[in-house]
Amino acid sequence: MKMYYALLLLMPLLLTGHKSEATEQIHQAEMIHEHDRCHLCGMVITKYPGPKGQVHLKADKMVPKFCSSRDMFNFALQSENKRQIDYMMVHDAATTNWEQPDDSAFIDAKSAFYVYGTTKKAVMGPAVAPFSTQAAAEAFAKEYGGRVLTFNDITLELLAGDK
C-alpha cells in the first residue's frame, strides 16, 4: 500500500519528465559588435541590411557570426559543420529593424519560419528572412513576395538556386 502512495506522489514527475539543468539551459545570443566579420565571407556584419545569424558550436567557445541568415545556412548545412552545431540563432525580422537588426531580437533558428525569394534587399543574394511566427512570415511574404519555409525546408540546393 505504501508503494501505491509513493507511485501516486511520483506520477507527475514520471509523466512530465524531470528536467536536468542541461535541458533547462536557455540559449543566449552573442552580441554582434561593430567590427565583427562574417565567418563565411569576411564582410563586416553590421554594415549591411537584413537579419543576421550565429552558430553555437558544441565543443568550441568561438561563436561564428554571419552577415546574413543565408550565409549562416550556407555554413551550417555543410556536412562537416552539421555535427558540430549545438544551436543556431537568427534575428526575428518581425520584431527588429531590417536595416539595422537589434541583437535583442535573436530567436532559435530551428523553430523559426523563413521567407525565401522576397524582393526585400539583403546581403549575399536572396534573403532568407526569419520570423518567430508563421503568421508574421506569411504577412511579410504577402507584402514583399517569397514563400514561407520551415528550418528543414532550407537546403544548400535551394540557396544555390537549384530548387
Side-chain angles (χ1 to χ4, degrees):
M1 194 68 157
K2 287 182 183 180
M3 181 66 121
Y4 173 78
Y5 289 113
L7 282 173
L8 281 178
L9 291 172
L10 290 174
M11 192 60 70
L13 284 176
L14 294 173
L15 291 175
T16 60
H18 179 68
K19 294 181 179 177
S20 70
E21 284 182 35
T23 60
E24 289 181 356
Q25 175 186 353
I26 296 172
H27 293 153
Q28 295 286 330
E30 291 218 358
M31 301 295 288
I32 295 176
H33 301 287
E34 182 180 356
H35 300 292
D36 283 347
R37 294 187 172 272
C38 180
H39 188 76
L40 192 67
C41 70
M43 294 175 22
V44 175
I45 296 171
T46 58
K47 281 189 168 187
Y48 302 95
K52 317 299 181 208
Q54 56 184 254
V55 173
H56 296 253
L57 303 173
K58 292 175 184 173
D60 202 342
K61 297 287 183 200
M62 181 189 76
V63 175
K65 299 172 188 173
F66 301 89
C67 65
S68 67
S69 49
R70 179 188 186 84
D71 270 11
M72 181 199 72
F73 275 108
N74 274 315
F75 172 84
L77 293 173
Q78 294 175 26
S79 58
E80 65 271 15
N81 296 332
K82 278 184 181 181
R83 66 181 175 274
Q84 298 177 46
I85 297 172
D86 186 19
Y87 64 99
M88 299 182 291
M89 302 192 88
V90 289
H91 284 121
D92 181 356
T95 63
T96 192
N97 181 299
W98 185 272
E99 296 302 315
Q100 295 179 325
D102 187 279
D103 290 342
S104 66
F106 270 114
I107 58 173
D108 174 50
K110 288 188 177 183
S111 63
F113 294 89
Y114 298 87
V115 177
Y116 183 75
T118 177
T119 60
K120 190 85 167 160
K121 183 176 165 87
V123 66
M124 303 306 284
V128 182
F131 297 88
S132 59
T133 67
Q134 185 172 0
E138 289 171 351
F140 183 89
K142 186 175 181 180
E143 183 173 351
Y144 297 104
R147 59 186 170 147
V148 177
L149 304 170
T150 65
F151 178 86
N152 290 327
D153 293 330
I154 300 174
T155 64
L156 288 173
E157 295 79 20
L158 173 81
L159 299 176
D162 297 338
K163 229 179 185 184

